[in-house]
Amino acid sequence: MTRQALSTSALHADRIAKSFGGLKVFNDVSFTVPAGGLLGVIGPNGAGKTTMINIFTGRLSLTSGQVMLGETRIDGRSTFENALMGLVRSFQQTAIFNGHSVETNLISALRFSKRDRSVLERLAPLLDQFGLIENWHRNADVMPYGLQKMLGLAMALATQPKMLLLDEPAAGLEKSERVNIDAYVKFAQEEFGCGVLLVEHDMEIIKRLCPSVIVLDGGRLIAEGPPTEVLSRPHVINAYLGGSDEEDSDVTH
Amino acid sequence: MDSFIATGLIGISLGSQYTLLALGFTLIFGILGVVNFAHGGFYVMGGYVAYYCNVILGLPYPVAVMLAMLSMAALGWLFESLILERVIEDHQATLMVTMGFYLVMATAILMIFGAESPQFPFPVTGVWRLGGIYFPYANMIVLGACLAAIVFVYWLVYRTNIGRGMRAMSEDLPVASALGMRTKALFPFAFALATGLAGGTGALVTPILALAPHVGDSVLAFSFLTVILGGLGSVTGATCAAFIVGLIEAYAAVYLGGSKGALTLFALVLIILVVRPQGLLGREVRRS
Amino acid sequence: MSSHDLKPLPAETRSSLLSGHDWIALVFVAMTFLIPVFSTNPQVLSQTNLILIAATAALGVYIMQRLDLMSFAVPSFMAIGGYTVALISMKLHVTDVLILAAAAFLMPALCAIPLGSLILRLKGVYFVLVTFVLTEIVQLLLFEAGPITGGANGLVGMPAVKLFGFELWDNPHVLLTTCGLAVLSFAITSLFTRTFRHEFAAIETNDVLAESLGLAAWKYKAMAFSIAAGVSGLAGFALVNMLMTAHPSSFAPMSSVNYITYTIVGGKASILGTLIGALLLVSATDYFALSGEMSPGLFGLLIIIVTLVARGGVVGVVSGLLYRLVGKTTPLNTGETGHAAQEHANQKEGRP
Ligand SMILES: Nc1ncnc2c1ncn2[C@@H]1O[C@H](COP(=O)(O)OP(=O)(O)O)[C@@H](O)[C@H]1O
Ligand SMILES: [Mg+2]
């Protein structure tokens, strides 16, 4: 992929707001994920992180504001159009085609994104590291949760996206499996030149990977900057302590 | 002008009947997530139970209506807890079993009572007139009973704990169960309530309209029309749509004749589907 | 990155386009061409005719089942196909069977496109409701549009169809026409559903995921709806050709329930199920001399029983039994998912 192509694929959210009926999820949020860059997103449960990804991919409509991928305005377009343009997401829960083998799942991802098998060859080292090659012919939905989650991530990457939106990729993984996420994100950036928006609760991962994070809370973007610095700001700590227990444990270790 | 008003009255009483059917239908969908293909069957069977009690056994008509309602509620309860409950998670399976049950009900009626329409006259005859406006007493009584039943359903849904539970469930099932509502326990109750309403409507209405084993087909089609128009799962939407359907049908029958009324309705539904797919009062199609 | 050698990507698993079930069904349907050679018994001929028409019509249900959608629309599209053929042959005096078959397929398929784009945007439940209402609309239109459709009388006295100028007029010939239409329909259906099997399977199991990977789900849904309509139209052609009449009662709204029953009771997972369902249920209706009165009740009971205790229908149960007997993947299986399916079964038995 040339530099030229990369520069046209930055993801830019411009003063976006979303409400469901009377419920305001967030308001006046702006940020940019540079082409090939990496931006972390943190915030307590219910802050609207998943909703934001749903808006970027076109599953939900925006209440106001706009979203640009490179030069193209993408909010309000259909999910598959955005995916074919290179904006692809992963899901917070496992999302695979149940009842089909690992191979069929990956082949489907290739077919739907109009890629050929060579992408799979390039992904092979990663697939091997995750343990997916060992399970190549296994029915995907009887595999352990961690493997299913990694399969979902591998499928997103198999579409060779320009911009990956990862919704809590480490959620539900064992501590020992979490290094896979590091490998995955690095691989996506270095081998495929993807930009990555990483929504994650695991602060260790965020600190290891992200040069920069944004913090969402109470419907606003409350902080932005390098993770260690941002996480030491008092109002960010407050936002987390006000959240549920789950995030407390994540932020303290 | 007089005939215009008289036709309007007929339309309103038709509307109130459709409301009872559509309310039951939409409650079942809202609460159980099930499209009840057997709904028309409960209506017809209610009519036959009332006919049997009133004409064959000689019980008073109001008693016959009550018995029709109770027996259909009981049958609905049994069907829900013995059959539907076992496949409730699989939307296609719920379709199949309710459809299968409808076929069984219709065939059972046919075998017991035969294909001929029985003589089941409304016990009250006579016509109320004011100037040039005519309105049969039978329709008036049915209208009154239906309106009372509609008020009862609204009271139940909006003013009681059971209703609050039901509404919470139709809005968000996981949240309702998280709040500790006994979700599953409400299923047979809601189903029985709806089928009881359908049976009662059948008992009240078939003497005026028609009683025959197959009338459930068109009742089902009209229930579908009503809920598509009103928005699936919306109680108020179903009520409004049912009155719209009733009025259009009544006026079209008088001023257009034949089955033009039904065609007008279909055209209306098609337009609604184009401009407002979620129905008049349905919420934005939820995607989670 | 790791100490052990990299595992290479396993070789691509190739699977044939048509599965075992598709071939069996096709061969089975094609063999009915031989029936007129061996038998002139009018009873046998008409029974075979009815079974083939029922199976062809039920293919419309089978196709929509690939997307997990329940379609009641079959009689509507049969009517469009059947009336189109009747009109062309009676008013335009075109009786060539190939032209008529093309018209019987294309007319409903084209009508289905705007309709499909309208209702396939909606949730699955709405699709069911709308297709149900659609059959009622078409029925009414057939009665109301008297000048074109002949109203309650229908269109009576269709001329016999011709193949390359040769008139197909007597009973065996009519059966041959039906066989031809059935083979064509089964071929179209299996080629279509198998060509896009990945797409359909993905939309059926997780359409949200499929779209987020770039699949335009609505296109495939609209295409399936259109092809299903076309195949139903061919069944409508076969029906009016057999009766020499296009009449509203041949396309009664509740007949959609029969076609659904054939597919579900036979086994909705494979095309063979639709064929076997039609074969068994049409024969049973005839064998028990069930008049129109009783068979709906029987069908209803069967639907409930299959749904409660034997989801796979007849074909599912039989191939389950074969699988146990042989103790390995049956040759009928597609091979492609055989491995996964086997493991699924093992897991289920291992951990109840
Ligand atoms: N489809 C929807 N309809 C109504 N409310 C929704 C919907 N999706 C999410 N919400 C609400 O929006 C808020 C944000 O949810 P979400 O984006 O899932 O948060 P996060 O991913 O940050 O935990 C929550 O309060 C949730 O209840
Ligand atoms: Mg989330």
Side-chain angles (χ1 to χ4, degrees), chain B residues 25 29 35 37 83 86-87 90-93 95-97 99-104 107 110-111 115 217-218 220-221 224-225 227-228 231-232 258-260 262-263 266 270 273-274 277-279 285-286, chain C residues 65 68-70 72 115 118-119 121-126 128-130 132-133 136-137 140-141 143-144 208 254 257 260-261 264 268 292-301 303-304 307-309 311:
Chain B
F25 191 83
F29 181 78
V35 172
F37 268 83
I83 298 180
R86 303 169 63 178
V87 295
D90 176 346
H91 79 103
Q92 190 151 105
L95 258 172
M96 299 308 306
V97 292
M99 193 176 87
F101 194 62
Y102 174 60
L103 296 178
V104 173
T107 309
L110 199 66
M111 283 167 61
D217 297 1
S218 60
L220 189 62
F224 284 3
L225 274 183
V227 294
I228 294 172
L232 203 44
S259 45
K260 298 278 195 318
L263 282 175
F266 292 140
L270 279 183
L273 283 177
V274 178
Q278 70 273 35
V285 179
R286 188 162 180 177
Chain C
Q65 278 291 312
D68 210 16
L69 289 170
M70 177 77 74
F72 283 85
L115 202 65
L118 206 66
I119 58 181
R121 295 180 299 161
L122 309 173
K123 283 193 291 189
V125 208
Y126 275 93
V128 176
L129 300 187
V130 174
F132 188 88
V133 173
E136 301 273 350
I137 302 180
L140 272 181
L141 282 176
F143 279 110
E144 288 287 319
V208 174
M254 283 315 271
V257 174
I260 291 176
T261 313
I264 300 290
K268 64 182 179 184
E293 296 197 341
M294 285 281 295
S295 65
L298 173 75
F299 284 17
L301 265 183
I303 289 177
I304 295 179
T307 313
L308 288 184
V309 300
R311 284 294 169 89

Side-chain angles (χ1 to χ4, degrees), chain A residues 24-41:
Chain A
K24 269 197 180 150
V25 183
F26 52 75
N27 203 358
D28 200 16
V29 172
S30 302
F31 60 85
T32 301
V33 188
L38 172 56
L39 179 70
V41 180

Side-chain angles (χ1 to χ4, degrees), chain A residues 20 23 25 44-51, chain B residues 286-287:
Chain A
F20 292 106
L23 172 76
V25 183
N45 271 338
K49 305 178 296 296
T50 300
T51 303
Chain B
R286 188 162 180 177
R287 315 195 234 172

Side-chain angles (χ1 to χ4, degrees), chain B residues 80 85 88-89 169 181-189:
Chain B
E80 204 287 332
E85 196 68 51
I88 200 88
E89 304 298 334
M169 278 158 59
M181 290 178 198
R182 300 189 307 133
T183 359
K184 280 275 160 93
L186 281 176
F187 281 9
F189 177 80

